[in-house]
Structure formats: C-alpha cells, structure tokens
Amino acid sequence: MVEAFEILGHAFFGMIAGFLFLWAFVELLNLNENNVKRMQIATSIASASGFLGLIFGLSYYLEEYGVKDTGDKYIIKGGDWWWAHAFFTETKEHFAIMGFFLMVIILLLVWRVDLVANHSAKKAATWLMGTLVLGVLILEGYGAIMAFGLRIGLGGT
Amino acid sequence: MSKDGSMDSWILGSSFAFIIISILNPFIVIGKEKSAGFKDFFVNLGKVLGMEHHLYGHLWFFIILFVIFTLLFAYTTLGESIANALKIDDYAKLAYWVVGSVLFFFVIISFFFLLEVLE
C-alpha cells in the first residue's frame, strides 16, 4: 500500500510538474503584463510539484525499490529487461538530481527579473522552461520503461 | 545585481554552479562506479549526514557543491570574470550555456551507462 502511494505520488507530481512547466512555457511565448503573474505562479507550483515528485521517488527508491534481494530493483535485474535498471534507472537518478538545480535557476529567473521588459531574459526563461518540459517527458518515459521491466521480471509479457 | 548591473548575481552564480556540476557529475559517477574509494566516499558522506543510502550521499554532495559554487560566483567577481571571458553578456547567452551543459551531461552519462550495459 505504501509502495503504491509512493510510486503513484512520484508519477503524479512529476506529471503535474510537466504540465505546469508546459503551461508556463506557453505563457512565456506570449508574455505580457497580463499573464506574467500567471506564468510565475505556474512555474512556482510546477517546481514545488517537481520537488515533491523527487521526494516521493527518493522515498520509493529507499523504502521499496532498492531493498536488498526483495526490492523491485532485484526483480527487474533478474528479468529479461534487466537493462531497464542498469541503464534507465541509473541515468534517471542523475537526471532528476540535475532537474532539481534547474528548477532553482528557473525560479530565480522568473521572480527576480522583469521578463516582460528584458527580452534576453525572456528568451533564457523560454529555453530553460522548454528544457524542463523535455526533461520531465524523458523522466516519465524512463519510469514507464522501469515499470515494464518490473512487469517482465515478475513473469508478465 | 551583478557588479556591472547587467545580470542578477544569484542567477549568474547558480547558472555557473549548475554548469560546473553538469560537467563534473558524469565524471564523478564514472569515478564512483570504477573506484571503490570513490564509492566509499559517497556512502560515508551519507552516513556522516545521518543517511545510510548512497543516494543521499549523491544528493547532499551535489547540493553542497551547488550552494558553495553559487555563493562563490554570486559574492565574488569570479562569476563576472568567467562571463566576460566567455563573452556571456546577457541572460540568453547564459541560458545557452546552461542548456548546452544539460546536453553534455545527458550524452556523457547515457553513453557511460550504455557502455556498462553492453559490457
């Protein structure tokens, strides 16, 4: 039950972060005095959600996934899709940590700089927001491959 | 603001900290995987911080590095000196470097773990 809560929380908050970063990205493409507040709020909630997604993911990894011999990690490694851990989980860990720092930069950028007046800063925020959207999509995809790896490891097809 | 007022010093500092960590991260990972001593370092760091799992070691190590580099670049002229040397005079050029470092990190770390799988 706790495992389901952690993994669903991880996927849920990650997805919410992705949608809200996409929302903020679209707002940035047509930024003006009327929607700047909305973009800032969307970015802040997205970052908070992304942070929660990381916490849930970390908790799941430590409490369930990586438990010696019985954790999901060992089930995946024992199955035909063993590389779902060896490549996708391993890289996902590091992408997620870097995503945390990228969220700090984007928060500083949207709250500390007048993006409506400063076109260079707006362009920077758009690029970083786009990178975060793409990053969340990659992380979600990697998570799905890990889930398939677990299913295969449990004898499913 | 930064000393010449063109960019916010916190954004400049955190961006440079991010770029450095992006470049260091894959090599630290490679070092950890290839060297028992390096791995012990991460595990011990986690234990020092009251956390047993190496993932906490990773997380704290990078958070500590990020904070130190951000403060270093934000409170000294080092960040601006590097920005001048790299001809980074506005936010857009800074963002290109950040996105470039993400790509570098992505490619190197994927390549490393792919090699591990193929071995």
Side-chain angles (χ1 to χ4, degrees), chain B residues 75-119:
Chain B
Y75 277 111
T76 69
T77 53
L78 191 60
E80 287 189 67
S81 301
I82 296 171
N84 290 336
L86 297 173
K87 296 186 171 31
I88 298 171
D89 52 10
D90 63 17
Y91 287 105
K93 286 178 190 162
L94 185 63
Y96 297 149
W97 275 87
V98 171
V99 173
S101 70
V102 171
L103 276 177
F104 173 84
F105 167 76
F106 186 90
V107 169
I108 297 288
I109 208 158
S110 298
F111 182 69
F112 169 71
F113 281 117
L114 194 61
L115 281 184
E116 289 278 297
V117 168
L118 293 175
E119 275 176 12

Side-chain angles (χ1 to χ4, degrees), chain A residues 58 61-62 66 73 82-83 86-87 90-91 93-95 97-102 104-105 108-110 112-113 118-125 127-128 131 138 142, chain B residues 1 6 8 10-11 14-15 18 21-22 25 29 32-33 53-56 58-59 62-63 66 90-93 95-96 98-99 102 105-106 109-111 113-114 117:
Chain A
L58 188 63
Y61 193 107
L62 300 178
K73 172 181 173 179
W82 55 271
W83 42 264
F87 180 79
E90 294 285 8
T91 46
E93 277 176 32
H94 294 275
F95 293 161
I97 290 174
M98 296 311 290
F100 171 72
F101 298 121
L102 207 53
V104 173
I105 298 174
L108 286 170
L109 196 57
V110 301
R112 288 179 69 92
V113 184
N118 190 329
H119 290 283
S120 171
K122 182 192 155 190
K123 193 187 272 186
W127 270 93
L128 295 183
T131 305
I138 290 171
Y142 280 23
Chain B
M1 298 294 282
S6 61
D8 184 287
W10 285 102
I11 295 170
S14 57
S15 297
F18 181 86
I21 294 174
S22 292
N25 189 330
V29 174
K32 182 183 79 69
E33 296 292 329
H53 198 278
H54 77 277
L55 252 187
Y56 280 126
H58 281 168
L59 194 62
F62 286 118
I63 287 174
F66 185 74
D90 63 17
Y91 287 105
K93 286 178 190 162
Y96 297 149
V98 171
V99 173
V102 171
F105 167 76
F106 186 90
I109 208 158
S110 298
F111 182 69
F113 281 117
L114 194 61
V117 168

Side-chain angles (χ1 to χ4, degrees), chain B residues 26-43:
Chain B
F27 297 108
I28 289 171
V29 174
I30 293 166
K32 182 183 79 69
E33 296 292 329
K34 298 292 180 194
S35 145
F38 227 108
K39 191 161 192 159
D40 288 346
F41 170 76
F42 276 101
V43 173

